[in-house]
Amino acid sequence: MKTIRVVAAVIKSISPAGQPVIFATQRGYGEYKDGWEFPGGKIEQNETPEEALRREIQEELNMDISVGEKLMTVEYDYPAFHLSMDCFLCAIASGTPQLLEHEAARWLTMEELDTVDWLPADQIIVQKLNDREK
């Protein structure tokens, strides 16, 4: 089975009400269209995961992020490929998210994380985030 190496940004911020929130995006294309995910994408040759993440967020959301701690690596078998996804905690360095490739996006509180239909590999990240909050 082919392995696809990708990165995902768990972008954290503070809502106007002062609550911690996490940015979620809804896929606008492909086999998994309409599924919710943490934004990111494929790692290109000679790119570090952190470089790939900054590039992907710039391309998809037209903003700059600061990449922080590595949260985890998700290994997940989809029917057609194996996904290896490095996930990092991130913050917006400059700009405001603009949806260039996604159908929708939401800032979710920890309590709202389960209110969207996450893609299977991203569900593992949500579980890790929930476990960290306990």
Side-chain angles (χ1 to χ4, degrees), residues 102-122:
H102 295 93
E103 209 162 276
R106 289 179 55 194
W107 286 101
L108 302 169
T109 64
M110 287 302 297
E111 295 75 28
E112 294 170 327
L113 282 180
D114 294 328
T115 64
V116 298
D117 187 17
W118 294 99
L119 293 173
D122 293 80

Side-chain angles (χ1 to χ4, degrees), residues 7 9 40-41 47-68 88 90-91 93:
V7 286
E47 224 177 16
T48 68
E50 294 86 349
E51 289 167 343
L53 200 48
R54 284 190 287 271
R55 177 187 50 75
E56 284 285 347
I57 297 304
Q58 182 60 50
E59 290 173 4
E60 294 181 3
L61 298 167
N62 196 30
M63 67 179 184
D64 294 317
I65 58 167
S66 58
V67 179
F88 292 86
C90 300

Side-chain angles (χ1 to χ4, degrees), residues 35-54:
W36 287 80
E37 64 183 356
F38 294 96
K42 290 182 183 156
I43 301 171
E44 293 182 355
Q45 196 170 347
N46 301 321
E47 224 177 16
T48 68
E50 294 86 349
E51 289 167 343
L53 200 48
R54 284 190 287 271

Side-chain angles (χ1 to χ4, degrees), residues 77-111:
D77 288 328
Y78 281 97
F81 60 92
H82 176 80
L83 185 75
S84 180
M85 179 166 56
D86 290 338
C87 310
F88 292 86
L89 295 175
C90 300
I92 295 175
S94 66
T96 312
Q98 296 173 30
L99 301 184
L100 304 177
E101 294 185 14
H102 295 93
E103 209 162 276
R106 289 179 55 194
W107 286 101
L108 302 169
T109 64
M110 287 302 297
E111 295 75 28

